Amino acid sequence: MRSLTRRGALGVGAGAAAAVGLAGCGTLGSDKPSPSGGSGKGHSGGGPTKSMEPRAKPIGDGSTSFTGAQPKQPAKPVPLEPGQTPPQFVIFSWDGAGEVGNGLFPRFLDLAKQHGASMTFFLSGLYLLPESKKRLYNPPNNARGASDIGYLTDEHVKATLTNVRRAWLEGHEIGTHFNGHFCSGHGTVANWTPQQWRSEIDQAKSFVKEWRTNTGWTNLPSLPFDYEKELVGGRTPACSARTTCCPPPAPSAGATTPPRPAAARSGP
């Protein structure tokens, strides 16, 4: 994963935005159908014609795709002059980035657009995994398929995909909130080893990169980014994970770099 933000001081100030209960839907840019059958819709209104829109290059099973550089990125931060007063930032922290029907996800996307704010959406991998496939998740020190945040309905999984797609196209960052959100008992994240955290991270990434295979849905557009490259960091579900999440994984874990310090940031 990359550092917590691509935006330097601006990104830190814009803060984390993604909720355990974010909501909504939006009309997004077009996606060419993937080999697995996914298709998308063009912009409504006076958007660019199809010939002007970037072509999506499917990645893996077509759950994600490469569409070029992320749009609507801020200018490079300018260093403060000596004695210049630093700007004041307001940080929103929304973990999970799941749509549960309460309207928060599109509400805050709309507010961000109105006020020129940049947010980071920490997506829980399980929010793209249907409950019918929950046994694909093998959480450390917990029963297969267990989750302290449950699973979304199929319609809410679809809406989550819509909103995450919109968020990235509107210039926001995508992070991870991992999966099962275990904060108590024997299976708490406080007891996980670095190797178990590597398993949790790998599973969280796979649920995003393989949602099309896991759901069987072929009529939805792919997420318009390479998740391996666009994943900016993560927020653990409990302060107790600070000391267990960040040590470098064993070489056998297959990681080319250790988890970034951002992965130890605790949720509210």
Side-chain angles (χ1 to χ4, degrees), residues 5-211:
T5 176
R6 296 187 301 276
R7 302 181 172 91
L10 289 179
V12 173
V20 168
L22 294 183
C25 57
T27 302
L28 306 172
S30 69
D31 231 7
K32 281 190 71 66
S34 72
S36 58
S39 61
K41 297 180 180 180
H43 288 281
S44 61
T49 62
K50 277 191 175 182
S51 62
M52 296 174 62
E53 293 174 351
R55 289 179 177 270
K57 298 178 181 178
I59 299 172
D61 68 354
S63 296
T64 59
S65 59
F66 176 74
T67 58
Q70 185 177 13
K72 302 182 180 179
Q73 295 302 286
K76 184 177 179 180
V78 178
L80 296 174
E81 296 292 336
Q84 184 178 356
T85 302
Q88 185 179 35
F89 298 104
V90 176
I91 299 177
F92 288 92
S93 178
W94 300 92
D95 295 343
E99 151 60 17
V100 295
N102 58 12
L104 289 179
F105 207 144
R107 170 178 168 77
F108 279 90
L109 284 176
D110 291 343
L111 286 172
K113 183 181 294 186
Q114 293 171 19
H115 298 283
S118 298
M119 301 182 179
T120 304
F121 290 84
F122 292 103
L123 176 64
S124 294
L126 293 188
Y127 285 167
L128 298 187
L129 183 69
E131 187 169 11
S132 62
K133 297 295 184 69
K134 69 180 183 179
R135 289 189 61 79
L136 292 176
Y137 177 41
N138 188 20
N141 299 340
N142 287 274
R144 181 176 288 275
S147 169
D148 276 5
I149 57 173
Y151 291 82
L152 302 188
T153 67
D154 285 1
E155 289 307 308
H156 288 165
V157 172
K158 292 176 181 179
T160 297
L161 286 165
T162 296
N163 283 286
V164 171
R165 189 173 190 273
R166 175 186 168 188
W168 189 86
L169 289 172
E170 293 185 357
H172 303 291
E173 294 179 324
I174 306 299
T176 182
H177 200 42
F178 307 99
N179 291 309
H181 210 282
F182 302 105
C183 296
S184 62
H186 172 72
T188 175
V189 296
N191 296 333
W192 291 3
T193 66
Q195 292 76 16
Q196 289 174 323
W197 269 110
R198 173 52 57 190
S199 172
E200 178 78 354
I201 292 169
D202 289 343
Q203 290 184 82
K205 289 164 65 177
S206 74
F207 296 145
V208 176
K209 297 190 297 181
E210 299 171 7
W211 64 262

